[in-house]
Amino acid sequence: MLTSRATLCGVNTEAEPDASAELLELVYAILHAVRRESGPGAPGQLRFLRTLAACGCAQRPGALAEALGVAPRSVTSKVDTAESDGLVRRLPDPTDRRATLVELTPAGHALLAESAHRRHEHVAARLTRLSSAEQAELLRLLRVVAGQG
Protein backbone atom coordinates (compact mmCIF):
# COMPACT_ATOMS: atom_id res chain seq x y z
CA MET A 1 0.00 0.00 0.00
CA LEU A 2 1.26 3.47 -0.85
CA THR A 3 1.46 5.86 2.05
CA SER A 4 2.45 8.94 0.10
CA ARG A 5 3.26 10.12 -3.39
CA ALA A 6 6.90 10.28 -2.34
CA THR A 7 7.17 6.49 -2.00
CA LEU A 8 6.36 4.24 -4.90
CA CYS A 9 7.06 0.52 -4.45
CA GLY A 10 9.59 1.38 -1.76
CA VAL A 11 11.43 3.90 -3.97
CA ASN A 12 11.68 7.53 -2.94
CA THR A 13 10.20 9.40 -5.92
CA GLU A 14 10.95 12.85 -4.51
CA ALA A 15 14.69 12.30 -4.83
CA GLU A 16 16.40 14.06 -7.70
CA PRO A 17 15.93 11.72 -10.69
CA ASP A 18 19.09 10.51 -12.33
CA ALA A 19 19.74 11.80 -15.85
CA SER A 20 18.90 8.51 -17.56
CA ALA A 21 15.53 8.27 -15.83
CA GLU A 22 14.71 11.87 -16.66
CA LEU A 23 15.73 11.39 -20.30
CA LEU A 24 13.51 8.31 -20.57
CA GLU A 25 10.57 10.15 -19.01
CA LEU A 26 10.98 13.15 -21.30
CA VAL A 27 11.37 11.08 -24.46
CA TYR A 28 8.34 9.01 -23.50
CA ALA A 29 6.26 12.11 -22.75
CA ILE A 30 7.16 13.73 -26.07
CA LEU A 31 6.49 10.57 -28.10
CA HIS A 32 3.23 9.93 -26.25
CA ALA A 33 2.01 13.48 -26.90
CA VAL A 34 2.99 13.36 -30.58
CA ARG A 35 1.32 9.96 -31.00
CA ARG A 36 -1.84 11.23 -29.28
CA GLU A 37 -1.92 14.38 -31.44
CA SER A 38 -1.29 12.53 -34.71
CA GLY A 39 -4.90 11.76 -35.43
CA PRO A 40 -6.93 8.65 -36.09
CA GLY A 41 -5.66 5.13 -35.64
CA ALA A 42 -4.47 3.27 -32.60
CA PRO A 43 -0.67 3.39 -32.20
CA GLY A 44 -0.42 -0.41 -32.54
CA GLN A 45 -2.46 -0.38 -35.72
CA LEU A 46 -0.38 2.45 -37.19
CA ARG A 47 2.82 0.58 -36.29
CA PHE A 48 1.43 -2.49 -38.07
CA LEU A 49 0.60 -0.43 -41.17
CA ARG A 50 4.01 1.32 -41.14
CA THR A 51 5.76 -2.05 -40.87
CA LEU A 52 3.77 -3.39 -43.81
CA ALA A 53 4.55 -0.26 -45.84
CA ALA A 54 8.26 -0.52 -45.02
CA CYS A 55 8.33 -4.02 -46.51
CA GLY A 56 7.52 -2.50 -49.90
CA CYS A 57 5.29 -5.35 -51.02
CA ALA A 58 2.59 -7.74 -49.83
CA GLN A 59 3.65 -9.91 -46.88
CA ARG A 60 2.51 -13.06 -45.14
CA PRO A 61 0.99 -12.39 -41.73
CA GLY A 62 3.67 -14.59 -40.10
CA ALA A 63 6.44 -12.42 -41.54
CA LEU A 64 4.68 -9.31 -40.22
CA ALA A 65 4.34 -10.91 -36.78
CA GLU A 66 8.07 -11.61 -36.77
CA ALA A 67 8.91 -8.06 -37.91
CA LEU A 68 6.68 -6.63 -35.19
CA GLY A 69 7.86 -9.05 -32.51
CA VAL A 70 4.31 -10.16 -31.69
CA ALA A 71 2.33 -13.40 -31.76
CA PRO A 72 0.82 -14.32 -35.16
CA ARG A 73 -2.73 -14.20 -33.71
CA SER A 74 -2.11 -10.55 -32.81
CA VAL A 75 -1.33 -9.79 -36.45
CA THR A 76 -4.44 -11.69 -37.55
CA SER A 77 -6.62 -9.37 -35.47
CA LYS A 78 -4.79 -6.30 -36.79
CA VAL A 79 -5.27 -7.53 -40.37
CA ASP A 80 -8.96 -8.19 -39.69
CA THR A 81 -9.45 -4.68 -38.31
CA ALA A 82 -7.43 -2.98 -41.03
CA GLU A 83 -9.21 -4.98 -43.73
CA SER A 84 -12.64 -4.03 -42.36
CA ASP A 85 -11.47 -0.38 -42.34
CA GLY A 86 -10.37 -0.70 -45.98
CA LEU A 87 -6.68 -0.13 -45.16
CA VAL A 88 -5.34 -3.53 -46.27
CA ARG A 89 -6.48 -6.39 -48.45
CA ARG A 90 -5.71 -10.08 -48.40
CA LEU A 91 -4.36 -11.72 -51.55
CA PRO A 92 -3.65 -15.33 -52.42
CA ASP A 93 0.04 -16.20 -52.15
CA PRO A 94 1.15 -17.19 -55.67
CA THR A 95 3.81 -19.52 -54.24
CA ASP A 96 1.56 -21.34 -51.74
CA ARG A 97 -2.17 -21.64 -52.36
CA ARG A 98 -2.78 -22.34 -48.64
CA ALA A 99 -1.25 -18.99 -47.60
CA THR A 100 -2.39 -15.40 -47.94
CA LEU A 101 -0.54 -12.16 -48.34
CA VAL A 102 -1.49 -8.77 -46.93
CA GLU A 103 -0.97 -5.51 -48.79
CA LEU A 104 -1.82 -1.87 -48.14
CA THR A 105 -4.67 -0.34 -50.08
CA PRO A 106 -4.55 3.22 -51.39
CA ALA A 107 -6.59 4.19 -48.29
CA GLY A 108 -3.91 2.59 -46.08
CA HIS A 109 -1.15 4.51 -47.84
CA ALA A 110 -3.17 7.73 -47.49
CA LEU A 111 -3.73 7.17 -43.75
CA LEU A 112 0.00 6.61 -43.21
CA ALA A 113 0.89 9.73 -45.20
CA GLU A 114 -1.60 11.83 -43.23
CA SER A 115 -0.41 10.41 -39.91
CA ALA A 116 3.24 11.12 -40.78
CA HIS A 117 2.33 14.66 -41.86
CA ARG A 118 0.52 15.30 -38.56
CA ARG A 119 3.40 13.86 -36.52
CA HIS A 120 5.87 16.15 -38.27
CA GLU A 121 3.57 19.17 -37.78
CA HIS A 122 3.29 18.48 -34.04
CA VAL A 123 7.01 17.95 -33.62
CA ALA A 124 7.71 21.14 -35.58
CA ALA A 125 5.27 23.02 -33.34
CA ARG A 126 7.10 21.76 -30.26
CA LEU A 127 10.44 22.80 -31.73
CA THR A 128 9.19 26.38 -32.23
CA ARG A 129 9.41 26.72 -28.44
CA LEU A 130 13.18 26.89 -29.01
CA SER A 131 15.27 29.42 -30.89
CA SER A 132 17.04 28.25 -34.05
CA ALA A 133 20.29 27.97 -32.11
CA GLU A 134 18.60 25.94 -29.34
CA GLN A 135 17.03 23.62 -31.93
CA ALA A 136 20.42 23.03 -33.55
CA GLU A 137 22.00 22.35 -30.15
CA LEU A 138 19.18 19.97 -29.13
CA LEU A 139 19.57 18.00 -32.35
CA ARG A 140 23.36 17.96 -31.99
CA LEU A 141 23.12 16.62 -28.45
CA LEU A 142 20.53 14.00 -29.39
CA ARG A 143 22.79 12.80 -32.22
CA VAL A 144 25.60 12.39 -29.68
CA VAL A 145 23.35 10.47 -27.28
CA ALA A 146 22.07 8.31 -30.17
CA GLY A 147 25.67 7.56 -31.19
CA GLN A 148 25.34 9.40 -34.50
CA GLY A 149 27.40 12.45 -33.78
Side-chain angles (χ1 to χ4, degrees):
M1 179 169 101
L2 290 176
T3 56
S4 75
R5 187 173 182 276
T7 304
L8 180 63
C9 300
V11 176
N12 182 356
T13 58
E14 285 185 358
E16 191 70 30
D18 65 39
S20 63
E22 186 174 10
L23 175 64
L24 286 171
E25 286 182 32
L26 292 169
V27 167
Y28 176 78
I30 292 166
L31 292 175
H32 180 73
V34 168
R35 206 177 295 129
R36 185 180 61 244
E37 297 164 349
S38 294
Q45 190 73 354
L46 288 172
R47 180 173 172 249
F48 159 71
L49 295 172
R50 281 194 306 272
T51 301
L52 178 56
C55 292
C57 62
Q59 296 293 306
R60 286 187 177 182
L64 290 168
E66 187 174 323
L68 291 163
V70 299
R73 70 180 172 276
S74 177
V75 168
T76 300
S77 66
K78 290 188 183 319
V79 171
D80 290 344
T81 300
E83 186 177 42
S84 70
D85 292 342
L87 303 173
V88 301
R89 67 177 143 249
R90 287 180 167 99
L91 306 168
D93 185 333
T95 64
D96 182 350
R97 62 184 172 155
R98 297 167 297 164
T100 61
L101 299 174
V102 180
E103 76 174 358
L104 282 173
T105 63
H109 284 287
L111 177 70
L112 286 176
E114 178 62 25
S115 176
H117 177 74
R118 286 185 185 167
R119 272 195 319 274
H120 287 281
E121 281 183 335
H122 290 290
V123 170
R126 288 175 180 278
L127 284 174
T128 63
R129 299 173 184 170
L130 303 173
S131 70
S132 295
E134 289 170 328
Q135 289 180 33
E137 180 65 1
L138 173 64
L139 293 174
R140 185 190 72 74
L141 292 170
L142 288 172
R143 283 186 206 102
V144 170
V145 171
Q148 300 174 4

